[in-house]
Amino acid sequence: MTLLALAAVGKDYARVKPRGGRVRLVWDLLHERAAKDVFRALDGVSFAIERGESLGVIGENGAGKSTLLKIIAGVIKPTRGTVESNGRVGALLELGSGFHPEYTGLANIDLAAALLGLAPSEIAASRERIIDFAGLGEHIREPIKHYSSGMVVRLGFAVATALAPDILITDEVLAVGDESFQKKCIAWMERYLAEGGTLLFCSHSMFHVQKLCSHAMWLKDGCVERYGISADVTRDYLAYHEEKEARAKEGVPRARAESAGWYAVQRLALDADCVEQGADLTIDGEVYAPDDRAPVVVIGVVRADGTPVFGVTSDMDRVALRDAGDHRWMFRMTLTRLPLQPGRYAIRAHAADPEGVRVFDHVERTLTVRGETRELGLVHLRHRWHDEVER
Amino acid sequence: MTARDRALLANFYRREVAVRYLGSTTGLLWALVHPLVLLGVYHFVFTTIFRATGFAGESFLAFVAVALWPWLAAQEALQRGTVAMGNYAGMIRKVAFPHELAVYASVGATFTLQLAGYVVVLIVLAVAGQGIHLAGLVVAIPVWAVVCVAVTGVALALAALQVFIRDIEHILMPVLMIVMYLTPILYPLTLVPASVRPWVAANPFAWMAGRLRDALLDGHLALHPGDAAAAVVALILFAAGRAVFRRLSPHFEDFV
């Protein structure tokens, strides 16, 4: 059964000019005119969650994660698209689940119940459990404005969990709790999922997303960048960050065209952008040489963040490039039974002078390696255990 | 209103009463002391310093008290209602609920407590022989109800506007001050020069003051022709205020 379905959901926020802009905005809103100057926080988001499924929402700060969760929780209405929800939604957004700062912890428990339409008497039984789970001791009788952020989250989590929601939405709750509370939360969420609960989990911890969610969605600039099995999406997301960091470090020069007088890689092609671990990969290319001597090509494999994995030059292997005339020299090589671990890599080619001493430009192509392995590290090393295999 | 909204409103209302009046040390006492002190000061200024006359033989205390309390209730309700969204900002940003409930709770709690103080003061004045007809409460309480409905409407509009335009709260105070002096609360309508009297009488609060004095000081319990008009005006204000609020409330989350 589909518990939650979003179709082409988008949300615009009005951008307001400092002077008089707000008066103008109110005027427009009162006349039900859409604000003219808007920021697209979210656009064209569609997905469905079945009962018992769990979805991790990942993305950079400002990517629209919180906006999406708020739309699902019903706190804001989407500007475009529809949200269909068939169950009780419990939400923990931006620390706490809508507490009133003046109320005591106890009063906020009653408030949370009222928000779900329950009379205080109806949650009498759960109240003890909430107080126990939150573990705030005497602070439960104090107004929560005196709580630390960690304490608010503890109470929020305790409340959201005790009221048995069909969908639990959590936004970065685990970031503020202490170690032992985090463990308690994770244990609770795992049990909740095992019992058929549905989780919508927003986090910057890929570890937690992989651990708790079957699916993941990567939001980028308000749009869905990728949606799928959480292991794949988180891997791509991490690779994206590695690439971004690498780019920030060196300002990677991308494929440069003809540079007259210099040795240059004119063309670099892979037979596939995406290969299975253990498959063959063929690299094709062409190097420009200003004179008539055969140039040397350097082929390198680096991880998306720039960590070198492997490198070889044509002269090391005593291979000569084929002369294609007109100063063009061709090469073609196959990396057999690619032992790279699943992830994102780049294949680089550098043109070097015939002596293989001076390296000129650098052209790269990205490569994704897919696989189901749970091994760690960059490459698969062939290995053999001397102990019995467990049955 | 769904069962959930009713439970929520009851919760807000209880808290508004408890946190605001019973929670602080001065508490409920202050809700009663403030109007009493004001009443004392007005009495001193008007009867001892200005030696004002023309209260149709009635005691100045009873004359002012009858109309001052509902005015103070309206004034306080407008002020509290205007900032209600700010007080519930944490919830507005994180939970889905009808935002207008916060205004209802705010205004409702203020009116309930001021009405309680009013009844106490009227009983004290009646016992002290200040010529109060307690039977007039039969009219006075519906009059309060009409004022409450109208004030709720205005408070809804102000609360919604305050989210976007923060000056509302600061403009409100002087405006209320001006309205108070233009309303026959401290003086009878009969003292107003005939040329401007219709303008002063057109003030809805003038209707309120007139009806309360009529019922509580003179003991007239009959309905007036203006009563129906007042009720209609109150309902229109409420409907208009709520329409403004509902247009703007989907956008609160971003601005509150």
Side-chain angles (χ1 to χ4, degrees):
Chain A
M1 177 189 151
T2 302
L3 206 50
L4 179 72
L6 271 73
V9 165
K11 171 75 188 171
D12 293 346
Y13 279 116
R15 259 198 277 250
V16 184
K17 289 179 199 73
R19 277 181 164 272
R22 284 170 169 247
V23 176
R24 158 126 263 167
L25 175 72
V26 168
W27 187 254
D28 283 347
L29 293 177
L30 282 175
H31 287 80
E32 290 190 318
R33 266 186 300 217
K36 282 169 208 91
D37 190 13
V38 294
F39 165 71
R40 281 209 161 172
L42 215 56
D43 202 26
V45 176
S46 304
F47 67 89
I49 297 187
E50 306 291 317
R51 192 175 284 281
E53 209 179 303
S54 54
L55 178 69
V57 181
I58 57 177
E60 289 157 287
N61 294 328
K65 303 186 296 291
S66 296
T67 306
L68 177 66
L69 295 192
K70 279 182 176 183
I71 286 176
I72 295 167
V75 178
I76 48 179
K77 285 200 180 66
T79 314
R80 294 172 293 279
T82 55
V83 179
E84 202 184 310
S85 154
N86 301 308
R88 185 145 84 184
V89 177
L92 268 167
L93 301 169
E94 299 171 5
L95 317 185
S97 58
F99 289 143
H100 198 301
E102 299 286 339
Y103 293 14
T104 64
L106 285 173
N108 266 302
I109 296 175
D110 289 347
L111 174 65
L115 281 165
L116 285 170
L118 302 173
S121 59
E122 288 178 82
I123 62 145
S126 328
R127 196 186 280 124
E128 283 307 309
R129 241 180 330 148
I130 295 173
I131 294 169
D132 184 52
F133 194 98
L136 295 172
E138 276 306 297
H139 295 296
I140 199 80
R141 292 176 202 290
E142 281 175 33
I144 66 160
K145 64 180 172 189
H146 299 313
Y147 285 22
S148 70
S149 56
M151 286 157 72
V152 174
V153 169
R154 292 173 86 107
L155 184 62
F157 196 84
V159 168
T161 55
L163 303 170
D166 294 313
I167 307 175
L168 179 64
I169 299 176
T170 68
D171 188 358
E172 276 303 340
V173 259
L174 297 172
V176 281
D178 58 30
E179 198 74 11
S180 66
F181 189 74
Q182 275 194 21
K183 279 192 190 140
K184 212 156 133 185
C185 291
I186 297 275
W188 187 91
M189 287 199 234
E190 282 183 326
R191 200 172 60 240
Y192 169 76
L193 290 170
E195 286 164 4
T198 305
L199 182 67
L200 223 82
F201 181 70
C202 175
S203 178
H204 288 292
S205 158
M206 293 307 119
F207 171 72
H208 286 142
V209 171
Q210 286 173 357
K211 196 164 156 60
L212 292 168
C213 305
S214 56
H215 289 74
M217 182 166 64
W218 170 12
L219 283 178
K220 190 162 173 249
D221 303 327
C223 300
V224 180
E225 178 78 9
R226 237 171 105 44
Y227 177 87
I229 305 294
S230 69
D232 292 346
V233 179
T234 50
R235 190 197 312 122
D236 286 359
Y237 178 67
L238 287 175
Y240 161 79
H241 273 282
E242 285 168 356
E243 270 171 43
K244 200 170 134 182
E245 276 161 31
R247 221 171 306 148
K249 253 184 257 159
E250 46 174 322
V252 176
R254 287 275 166 184
R256 230 177 307 154
E258 190 128 348
S259 40
W262 299 102
Y263 295 91
V265 177
Q266 296 284 58
R267 191 171 64 81
L268 176 67
L270 308 180
D271 62 346
D273 294 340
C274 174
V275 296
E276 287 298 319
Q277 184 181 25
D280 290 354
L281 176 75
T282 299
I283 304 163
D284 245 312
E286 191 182 301
V287 178
Y288 171 85
D291 47 28
D292 292 330
R293 299 181 302 148
V296 164
V297 67
V298 184
I299 299 293
V301 179
V302 298
R303 207 170 64 172
D305 65 350
T307 309
V309 178
F310 172 73
V312 69
T313 70
S314 56
D315 69 336
M316 278 178 195
D317 290 347
R318 300 181 184 286
V319 169
L321 271 57
R322 278 171 290 129
D323 187 356
D326 200 18
H327 299 288
R328 294 178 305 131
W329 299 81
M330 319 284 277
F331 64 89
R332 183 183 177 86
M333 81 180 289
T334 298
L335 295 169
T336 50
R337 296 171 61 191
L338 212 58
L340 295 173
Q341 297 290 13
R344 302 251 288 192
Y345 298 86
I347 302 294
R348 287 183 178 171
H350 308 265
D353 59 15
E355 292 72 35
V357 178
R358 287 183 301 158
V359 172
F360 293 88
D361 69 344
H362 139 178
V363 171
E364 72 174 40
R365 291 285 172 267
T366 56
L367 170 73
T368 304
V369 178
R370 300 218 167 276
E372 293 297 318
T373 179
R374 291 171 59 202
E375 289 170 357
L376 311 172
L378 285 178
V379 293
H380 167 77
L381 297 181
R382 265 172 295 165
H383 59 282
R384 174 165 59 88
W385 294 89
H386 295 264
D387 306 291
E388 290 287 314
V389 175
E390 249 179 74
R391 294 276 158 214
Chain B
M1 207 185 266
T2 63
R4 179 253 201 182
D5 291 355
R6 274 199 299 277
L8 201 52
L9 180 58
N11 185 296
F12 286 175
Y13 177 81
R14 269 198 308 277
R15 298 299 158 190
E16 287 285 339
V17 173
V19 171
R20 210 188 285 146
Y21 296 96
L22 309 179
S24 56
T25 37
T26 45
L28 192 58
L29 199 63
W30 182 241
L32 197 60
V33 167
H34 172 228
L36 281 179
V37 170
L38 262 186
L39 188 60
V41 170
Y42 289 143
H43 186 255
F44 173 73
V45 170
F46 284 90
T47 62
T48 313
I49 298 178
F50 287 133
R51 299 179 195 287
T53 50
F55 300 112
E58 284 142 1
S59 109
F60 178 82
L61 267 186
F63 178 83
V64 173
V66 159
L68 183 64
W69 252 264
W71 165 257
L72 290 177
Q75 181 177 303
E76 193 189 331
L78 285 172
Q79 283 170 333
R80 301 243 195 230
T82 301
V83 295
M85 294 303 106
N87 291 337
Y88 284 76
M91 291 186 60
I92 289 171
R93 276 196 288 262
K94 291 170 198 165
V95 217
F97 72 100
H99 302 147
E100 59 198 72
L101 297 183
V103 177
Y104 297 154
S106 241
V107 172
T110 305
F111 268 88
T112 319
L113 288 157
Q114 292 286 8
L115 182 59
Y118 187 59
V119 172
V120 170
V121 167
L122 290 183
I123 291 171
V124 169
L125 287 175
V127 170
Q130 297 283 329
I132 297 281
H133 297 263
L134 284 179
L137 280 172
V138 179
V139 172
I141 289 172
V143 168
W144 272 68
V146 170
V147 172
C148 182
V149 168
V151 163
T152 306
V154 177
L156 279 169
L158 292 178
L161 293 174
Q162 165 72 17
V163 173
F164 300 91
I165 305 162
R166 295 293 151 89
D167 307 356
I168 301 281
E169 181 190 350
H170 306 295
I171 298 168
L172 187 63
M173 191 62 200
V175 168
L176 286 173
M177 189 78 106
I178 291 163
V179 173
M180 167 159 175
Y181 286 110
L182 292 180
T183 303
I185 290 171
L186 296 174
Y187 50 86
L189 195 58
T190 47
L191 282 189
V192 178
S195 57
V196 290
R197 199 177 295 162
W199 296 103
V200 174
N203 176 351
F205 288 109
W207 167 83
M208 174 193 85
R211 293 299 282 121
L212 290 173
R213 284 181 183 138
D214 208 32
L216 291 163
L217 301 180
D218 303 336
H220 294 154
L221 301 184
L223 282 177
H224 281 203
D227 295 353
V232 168
V233 167
L235 287 175
I236 289 172
L237 279 175
F238 178 76
R242 197 162 72 147
V244 167
F245 190 92
R246 289 193 168 177
R247 280 274 165 91
L248 297 180
S249 81
H251 306 277
F252 285 176
E253 178 265 344
D254 194 25
F255 290 91
V256 74

